[in-house]
């Protein structure tokens, strides 16, 4: 299927984003059209659903080729947040099995006697030890006791573990024991996924490395099962579907199977990328991308068009959070990623009453099955979506263009159960759930704004995700944000972002030396070998190697410091000016960042890094809007209305039901847009208008100037 | 002036914390010593009167230093400061704590007036004196403990005073580390000053001041609300600190907490006189111990600022071990300080039953190793800091493998791989010791052990805060379990003396095993849920035999 053979041939670029509840599919047609689909996630047949969409698209536009398939998924982050990863075992050097639980003795800095630490990812009963030891220089101190290893393997077999992480001390210096142990485990337990720490994070600091490796192992079976099914279903269209990573870059499926930790924020990263592209196109300086899906809500700060990034993460403590410094509350994860804060509040998040009788929402989600009661698939427990249906915000008959039917009585019944216990009516209960969800989500927004010393009120919210625009205005009100953009295809926004991404891989290797004790040649050579390794790993399956652009970076620090500065390098270090030129760049950079330099101090190299980027596809956002023209002729008078509850102050009001295209002038809430992929709620104190790019702009009405409104 | 509303106050609170964190990050990223890298420091911001506005990542106790040192700064340097100046102090008798804790203070200028100060405290790797590290217990006067710096200008209008740096350099065992750390501390100060000026530019000084006043009132309100809920009355506790340095019966510590309305007075009357070893606690630190304890009980989530301190009064007899008179030695006051915290908790357990946990391991324990020869890039000495965990709470087990309440902030233990890079030592193991800790309806944290094999001859100084006393159980919970420190040399294992601090020579190949105390339990062990016992057995945290014996399982 070669498109170059025939200029007229129509080809498709397929992007889909698998959420906790829906799979969103966006297909970019080579003639400029965009096709969109939204299907309920069938956990066992994600591929089948996507294949149906592709087939439909192929027929509709008479396509002759599929030029690529890219996708993002929340499968990893959901597994961690809900504790539903694989049954995992950990093998450590004798004497070190508890480090994963101790987490360097750290704790978040509050004086809270009630503090509960997130339970360890792998409980102690499945953390086993093997006698072996290397010294700091990589010299063998104690040889690997293979008999003991076999006993450990037998124990794990009995526990029916699905994955095993291996992390030995100093393996980043000498991986031989880890390699050997992993080899034996793989041989003895061929069905178990095995991950050795040197394969994932060959860097000093055993806790961070063990934790990252454990997370990787914990996710491997989940991702392997998922990708196996998916690729089998999609093989007939394309044999190299790509996966989104947390850093906004794409990778191939073979890589994803080995390193699922790079997919923790896979879906959300695509959304952040799309939001950044929008922010850039619209010249918005400070933006919070707010993405509310079926299971979680995410927030991410975008300044001057750039998504903030973080090199280390903590995940699983009720909130996934990029941190500048570990705080010991969740699980440490050291991979480069967009700095996205994620909380367990999505359309499918269930409402429940805690021991004290207080109403709580999430983080447990009804998922796609049984899903919210409103979907009529057997769900009986009230969810945020049920609340939004009962409040009148969502269409009481069907959503997603009629493909998902809404069971209004079931939603009311689910809420009534909770309401009865608390002596409220269903509507009050619904509002309570809506507001608690907002409070939870404002935590994510605060984590990326006020906790970074940015005033959220100076930011504009870009709201997307299936439920994002339902909550955006009320959430913004509670934080003091006055402007919300709802872009085109908000419910498919992450899928759209997938079409904007490049391929990207980051690799690091420890290289410990004083700059004066090494040579430019040795550094250049090490870089070459790292590149060779990476390219041989990724090119045969993903792309020809000529397409890759390589960026070389070096980590430097003054002798005795514990943290490095990462400097980009020109491709080859010039032996004639080495190490003088590089040393001077470091001094200058240190001075710029921290205000001082130490000319006499030796400078050390600690790591070499490479980043490989290859452009994949590009989608013109403006072209997308070109397709969209508002139909100016429509009048919004005599439009249908729906009764919706806006709280005690406003009570139940009739909200005008509109299509985006019908918005030909600024209107005042209450109004509701029922779109294919989402619902947009304009509360009574807000107004809405449309811009040239098809965005609906929601603005809080300044109460003091309300008289001016026409 | 911007309108002050709850959101602006929330933003201001986080802006201030964020500035403190930025200072902390600058320090941690660029400093040289192990203490700096593992977070034994704090960063604070004060207003022009020296009142604390916020702390960044902070060793909670260091709040006391700010309160102690700022009055001196105001008195001595009022009208004499210029933009770019940075002061240094480490005088325990001038508001500081012990000599290795160097405090840097920089004024923030706005419109030619001082609008506030930033304060950066860091525990340095050495400060000269008789023992490496400056925390030896055997000193009898502060003159033995190292270099004492009264509050002086270390930087004048941004330019380092070379004379002072030279004096420091020639008095400490680790000049490159100490000088590097001082520069990192100064950089952190400069970062803080710069950020605070930006904050004033953004909001206006008046708004910043008003927000801070409201933040103080808010924190104060939370504290008072917690206090007023308790019954008025006097609640006492006493304890013997086992090590008086002369093999005597120990040192009596006594506290009385008076709750009256929404105020707390904490008085240490009855406490023994100061001693001729270096465990006397300077008064500002005694007060800090009280602050941290009470904050955690009354308002654990309150923003930390001068407001939380307002309802609290602390007194200790002058000349007592908790309010010593110059020139008493104070270098090893750490062990005593942890005991004061435990003592105040014990009294508060009577005043606020159901709000206080049982005894933890008794404070951070440490092993300092100074090898005879310094090879390559390795450090002169390394001080490894660790803890076991918390005592049981009224409604749940104690947290295991974590630093005590007053050590939050940015502190974490050093990675084994890092430690082995900078010191000729092999860590043979770190972890939980089964069947330790106090039983109860909720159990205390298990003991955590650390085992070292030394690769070089050298000196070790071992600090064992509860060498010969047990963490106390509450509400029927059992006391914690004892510590045990042994040295195995040429195949022979010998227990170290039951002293809170022991210095001794080691040979290459010797193995030191440090089992810390296990934390105490809460409530009757007979009431412990069967599934919790079963889980602990599965996780090999307790043995079946232990479960039978202790829980009748």
């Amino acid at each position: 299927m070669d498109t170059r053979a025939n200029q007229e041939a129509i080809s498709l670029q397929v992007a889909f984003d698998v959420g906790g509840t829906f799979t969103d599919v966006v297909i970019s047609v080579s003639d400029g059209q965009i096709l969109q689909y939204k299907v309920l996630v069938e956990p066992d047949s994600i591929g089948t659903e996507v294949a149906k969409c592709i087939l439909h698209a192929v027929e509709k536009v008479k396509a002759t080729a599929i030029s690529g398939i890219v996708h993002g998924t929340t499968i990893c982050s959901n597994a961690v947040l809900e504790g539903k990863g694989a049954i995992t075992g950990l093998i450590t050097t004798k004497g070190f099995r508890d480090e994963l639980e101790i987490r360097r003795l750290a704790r978040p800095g509050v004086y809270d006697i009630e503090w509960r630490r997130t339970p360890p990812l792998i409980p102690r009963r499945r953390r086993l030890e093997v006698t072996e030891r290397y010294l700091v220089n990589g010299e063998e101190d104690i040889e690997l006791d293979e008999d003991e290893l076999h006993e450990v393997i037998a124990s794990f077999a009995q526990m029916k573990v699905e994955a095993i992480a291996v992390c030995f001390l100093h393996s980043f210096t000498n991986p031989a024991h880890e390699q050997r142990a992993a080899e034996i485990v793989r041989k003895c337990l061929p069905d178990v996924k095995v991950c050795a720490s040197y394969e994932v994070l060959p860097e000093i600091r055993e806790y961070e490395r063990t934790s990252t490796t454990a997370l990787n192992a914990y996710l491997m079976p989940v991702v392997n099962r998922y990708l196996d099914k998916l690729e089998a279903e999609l093989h007939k269209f394309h044999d190299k579907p790509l996966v989104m990573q947390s850093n906004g870059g794409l990778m191939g499926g073979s890589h994803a199977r080995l390193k699922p930790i790079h997919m923790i924020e896979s879906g959300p990263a695509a959304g952040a990328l799309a939001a950044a592209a929008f922010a850039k196109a619209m010249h918005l300086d400070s933006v919070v991308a707010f993405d509310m899906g079926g299971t979680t809500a995410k927030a991410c700060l975008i300044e001057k068009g750039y998504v903030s990034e973080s090199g280390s993460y903590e995940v699983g403590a009720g909130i996934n959070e990029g941190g500048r410094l570990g705080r010991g509350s969740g699980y440490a994860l050291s991979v480069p990623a967009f700095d996205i804060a994620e909380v367990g509040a999505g359309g499918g998040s269930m409402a429940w009453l805690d021991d004290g009788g207080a109403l709580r929402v999430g983080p447990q989600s009804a998922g796609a099955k049984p899903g919210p009661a409103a979907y009529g698939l057997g769900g009986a427990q009230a969810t945020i979506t049920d609340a939004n249906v009962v409040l009148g915000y969502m269409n009481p008959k069907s959503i997603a263009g009629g493909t998902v039917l809404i069971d209004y009585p079931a939603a009311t019944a689910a809420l009534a159960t909770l309401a009865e216990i608390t002596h409220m009516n269903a509507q009050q209960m619904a509002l309570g759930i809506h507001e608690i969800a907002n409070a939870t989500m404002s935590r994510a927004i605060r984590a990326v704004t006020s906790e970074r010393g940015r005033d959220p009120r100076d930011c504009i919210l870009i709201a997307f995700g299936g439920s994002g625009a339902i909550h955006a205005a009320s959430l913004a009100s509670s934080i003091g944000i006055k402007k919300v953009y709802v872009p085109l295809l908000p419910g498919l926004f992450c899928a759209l972002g997938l079409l904007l991404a490049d391929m990207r891989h980051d690799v690091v290797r420890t290289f410990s030396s004083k700059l004066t004790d090494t040579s430019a040649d040795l550094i250049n050579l090490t870089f070459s070998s790292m590149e060779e390794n990476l390219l041989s790993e990724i090119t045969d399956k993903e792309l020809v190697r000529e397409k890759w652009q390589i960026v070389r970076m070096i980590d430097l620090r003054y002798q005795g410091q514990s943290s490095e500065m990462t400097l980009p390098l020109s491709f080859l270090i010039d032996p004639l000016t080495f190490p003088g030129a590089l040393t001077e760049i470091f001094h200058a950079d240190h001075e710029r960042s921290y205000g001082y330099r130490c000319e006499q101090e030796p400078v050390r190299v600690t790591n070499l890094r490479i980043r490989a980027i290859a452009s994949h596809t590009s989608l013109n956002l403006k072209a997308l809007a070109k397709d969209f023209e508002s139909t100016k002729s429509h009048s919004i008078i005599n439009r249908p209305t729906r009764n919706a509850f806006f709280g005690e102050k406003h009570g139940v009001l009739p909200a005008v039901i509109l299509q985006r295209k019908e918005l030909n002038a600024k209107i005042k809430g209450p109004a509701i847009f029922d779109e294919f992929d989402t619902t947009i709620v304009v509360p009574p104190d807000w107004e809405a208008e449309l811009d040239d790019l098809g965005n609906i702009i929601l603005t809080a009405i300044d109460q003091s100037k309300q008289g001016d409104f026409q | 002036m911007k309108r002050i509303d709850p959101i602006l106050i929330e933003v201001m609170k986080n802006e201030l914390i964020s500035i403190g964190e930025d200072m902390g990050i600058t320090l941690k990223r660029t400093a040289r010593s192990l203490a700096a890298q593992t977070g034994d420091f704090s960063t604070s911001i004060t207003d022009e009167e020296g009142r604390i506005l916020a702390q960044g990542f902070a060793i909670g106790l260091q709040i006391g230093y700010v309160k102690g040192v700022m009055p001196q700064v105001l008195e001595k340097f009022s009208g004499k400061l210029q933009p770019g100046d940075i002061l240094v102090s480490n005088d325990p008798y001038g508001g500081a704590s012990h000599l290795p804790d160097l405090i840097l203070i920089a004024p923030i200028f706005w419109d030619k007036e001082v609008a506030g100060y930033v304060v950066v405290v860091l525990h340095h790797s050495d400060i000269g004196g008789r023992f490496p590290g400056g925390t030896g217990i055997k000193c009898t006067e502060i003159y033995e403990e190292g270099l004492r710096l009264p509050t002086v200008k270390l930087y004048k209008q941004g330019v380092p005073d070379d004379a002072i740096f030279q004096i420091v350099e020639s008095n400490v065992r680790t000049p490159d580390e100490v000088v590097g750390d001082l520069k990192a501390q100064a950089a952190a100060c400069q970062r803080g000053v710069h950020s605070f000026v930006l904050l004033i530019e953004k909001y206006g000084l008046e708004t910043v001041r008003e927000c801070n006043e409201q933040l103080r009132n808010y924190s104060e309100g939370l504290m008072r609300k917690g206090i007023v809920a308790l019954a008025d009355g006097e609640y006492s506790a006493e304890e013997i600190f086992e090590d008086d340095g002369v093999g005597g019966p120990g040192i009596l510590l006594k506290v009385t907490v008076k709750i009256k309305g929404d105020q707390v007075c904490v008085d240490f009357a009855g406490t023994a006189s100061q001693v001729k070893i270096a465990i006397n606690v300077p008064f500002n630190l005694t007060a800090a111990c009280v602050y941290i304890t009470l904050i955690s009980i009354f308002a654990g989530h309150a923003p930390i600022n001068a407001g939380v301190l307002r309802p609290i009064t602390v007194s200790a007899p002058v000349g007592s071990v908790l309010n010593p008179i110059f020139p008493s030695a104070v270098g090893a006051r750490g062990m005593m300080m942890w005991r004061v915290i435990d003592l105040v908790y014990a009294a508060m357990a009577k005043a606020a039953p159901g709000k206080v946990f049982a005894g933890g391991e008794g404070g951070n324990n440490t092993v300092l190793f100074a090898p005879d020869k310094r090879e390559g890039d390795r450090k002169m000495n390394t001080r490894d800091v660790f803890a076991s965990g918390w005592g049981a709470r009224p409604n749940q087990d104690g947290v295991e493998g974590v630093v005590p309440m007053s050590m939050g902030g940015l502190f974490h233990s050093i990675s084994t791989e890092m430690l082995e890079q900078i010191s000729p030592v092999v860590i043979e193991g770190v972890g939980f010791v089964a069947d330790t800790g106090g039983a109860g309806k909720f159990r205390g944290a298990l003991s955590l052990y650390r085992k070292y094999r030394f690769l070089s001859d050298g000196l070790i100084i071992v600090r064992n805060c509860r060498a010969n006393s047990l963490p106390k159980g509450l509400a029927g919970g059992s006391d914690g379990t004892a510590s045990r420190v042994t040295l195995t040399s040429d195949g022979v294992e010998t227990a170290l003396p039951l002293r809170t601090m022991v210095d001794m020579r080691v040979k290459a190949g010797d193995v030191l095993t440090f089992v810390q105390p296990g934390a105490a339990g809460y409530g009757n062990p007979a009431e412990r849920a069967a599934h919790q016992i079963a889980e602990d057995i599965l996780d090999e945290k307790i043995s079946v035999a232990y479960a039978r014996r202790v829980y009748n399982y």
Side-chain angles (χ1 to χ4, degrees), chain A residues 13 16 19 36 40 46 185 210 234 244 256 265 276 298 312 333 344 417 455 495 540 618 652 700:
Chain A
Q13 177 75 28
F16 62 94
Q36 40 174 302
L40 270 175
I46 285 159
V185 179
T210 308
L234 299 182
M244 187 67 162
E265 299 295 335
K298 307 96 189 170
S312 59
L333 177 60
T417 315
D455 191 334
D540 55 328
S618 66
V652 175

Side-chain angles (χ1 to χ4, degrees), chain B residues 283-330:
Chain B
F283 179 69
N284 286 304
L285 191 57
T286 300
C289 295
V290 173
Y291 300 149
I292 293 313
T293 312
L294 298 184
I295 292 168
S296 74
I297 292 169
F298 294 121
H301 294 285
I304 300 302
N305 56 44
V308 292
L309 309 183
R310 282 178 181 160
I312 307 171
T313 331
V314 186
S315 53
V318 175
S320 71
V321 70
L322 301 181
N323 190 1
I325 304 168
F326 179 80
S328 293
V330 299

Side-chain angles (χ1 to χ4, degrees), chain A residues 107 117 133 593 604, chain B residues 191 377 393 400 405 420:
Chain A
R107 63 183 195 84
R117 181 150 66 182
R133 189 67 151 90
S593 298
R604 284 195 79 91
Chain B
R191 171 64 61 101
D377 302 331
R393 278 81 62 87
E400 272 172 336
M405 180 57 70
E420 292 183 2

Side-chain angles (χ1 to χ4, degrees), chain B residues 255-258 264-269 283 286 290-291 294 312-316 344 347-348:
Chain B
V255 70
T256 302
V257 176
K258 291 175 202 151
V264 191
C265 300
V266 178
D267 183 22
F268 291 92
F283 179 69
T286 300
V290 173
Y291 300 149
L294 298 184
I312 307 171
T313 331
V314 186
S315 53
V344 179
M348 286 307 296

Side-chain angles (χ1 to χ4, degrees), chain B residues 103-432:
Chain B
I103 306 174
L104 263 60
I105 305 122
I108 302 160
F109 274 85
W110 180 256
D111 202 13
K112 296 184 183 138
E113 299 280 328
V114 174
Y117 298 86
V118 296
V119 183
V120 178
V121 185
L122 172 65
H123 185 153
H124 282 255
S125 56
D126 195 75
I127 195 67
R130 212 174 127 194
F131 295 98
T135 57
I137 194 171
K138 289 180 180 165
C139 299
T140 58
E141 289 187 334
I142 196 156
Y143 301 111
E144 296 171 73
E145 300 196 290
L147 179 68
R148 191 157 63 106
L149 293 160
T151 313
V152 290
K153 283 188 187 181
L154 182 66
Y155 282 66
K156 289 175 181 153
Q157 297 181 60
V159 181
D161 185 330
D162 195 41
I164 297 181
F165 272 98
Q166 283 186 41
I167 292 170
V168 171
E169 243 179 308
S170 50
N171 271 281
V172 302
R173 294 176 179 83
T174 52
D176 45 354
E177 267 184 30
V178 173
V179 169
D181 279 3
L182 273 172
K183 284 185 177 165
Q185 250 179 305
C189 285
Q190 285 155 353
R191 171 64 61 101
V193 168
H194 179 70
S195 305
F196 198 87
V197 167
L198 289 181
L199 187 78
I200 299 175
E201 271 174 12
K202 189 163 159 191
Y203 295 99
L205 185 56
E206 207 186 331
T207 304
V208 171
R209 281 189 175 146
E210 181 55 30
C211 282
N212 280 315
E213 183 54 30
Q214 296 207 22
L215 278 167
R216 275 191 293 269
N217 292 342
Y218 170 72
S219 294
E220 179 184 352
L222 285 177
M223 285 293 288
R224 292 199 190 275
K225 204 173 146 204
I227 298 165
V228 85
L230 303 185
D232 280 4
E234 295 193 5
Y235 309 89
S236 302
E238 59 179 64
E239 196 175 334
I240 304 281
F241 183 84
E242 60 264 43
D243 194 350
D244 53 14
V246 291
I251 301 163
L252 176 67
L253 302 176
K254 197 168 172 188
V255 70
T256 302
V257 176
K258 291 175 202 151
I259 309 268
K260 195 175 173 200
D262 59 1
Q263 297 196 53
V264 191
C265 300
V266 178
D267 183 22
F268 291 92
T271 294
S273 298
Q274 60 190 55
V275 289
K276 276 283 187 187
I277 51 173
I279 56 167
N280 302 294
V281 184
F283 179 69
N284 286 304
L285 191 57
T286 300
C289 295
V290 173
Y291 300 149
I292 293 313
T293 312
L294 298 184
I295 292 168
S296 74
I297 292 169
F298 294 121
H301 294 285
I304 300 302
N305 56 44
V308 292
L309 309 183
R310 282 178 181 160
I312 307 171
T313 331
V314 186
S315 53
V318 175
S320 71
V321 70
L322 301 181
N323 190 1
I325 304 168
F326 179 80
S328 293
V330 299
R333 87 287 182 255
M335 293 96 72
M336 183 64 93
M337 164 191 101
W338 294 112
R339 200 61 65 86
V340 173
I341 294 173
D342 285 355
L343 184 69
V344 179
Y345 271 126
M348 286 307 296
K350 297 174 187 166
K355 282 186 164 292
V356 177
F357 45 23
E361 84 290 275
N364 288 336
N365 295 305
T366 63
V367 172
L368 182 142
F369 178 41
D372 288 348
K373 262 190 268 166
R374 184 178 182 185
E375 294 160 22
D377 302 331
R378 285 186 160 157
K379 292 198 190 283
M380 204 78 126
N381 67 60
T382 48
R383 186 163 167 272
D384 191 22
V385 182
F386 44 90
S388 276
W390 295 7
R393 278 81 62 87
N395 57 355
Q396 54 180 318
D397 290 350
V399 185
E400 272 172 336
V402 75
V403 290
M405 180 57 70
S406 46
M407 283 290 279
L410 202 49
F411 181 83
H412 54 75
S413 60
I414 184 166
S415 111
T416 294
E417 290 170 342
M418 281 294 231
L419 184 61
E420 292 183 2
Q421 265 195 0
I422 58 176
S423 179
V425 64
V426 172
I427 301 291
E428 299 213 317
V430 182
F432 300 126

Side-chain angles (χ1 to χ4, degrees), chain A residues 442-502:
Chain A
S442 69
R443 240 182 99 202
I445 293 180
R446 276 203 310 273
V448 297
T449 54
S450 53
E451 285 182 22
R452 303 275 191 274
R454 309 291 201 287
D455 191 334
R457 291 172 300 184
D458 298 337
C459 299
I460 287 168
L461 205 66
I462 297 188
F464 51 96
S467 305
I470 300 175
H471 283 262
S474 58
L475 173 63
S477 293
S478 73
I479 307 172
I481 292 179
K482 295 182 188 62
K483 199 169 261 225
V484 177
Y485 278 63
V486 184
L488 281 168
L489 303 182
L492 304 167
F493 205 59
C494 291
L496 206 63
L498 290 166
L499 293 171
L500 300 166
D502 292 330

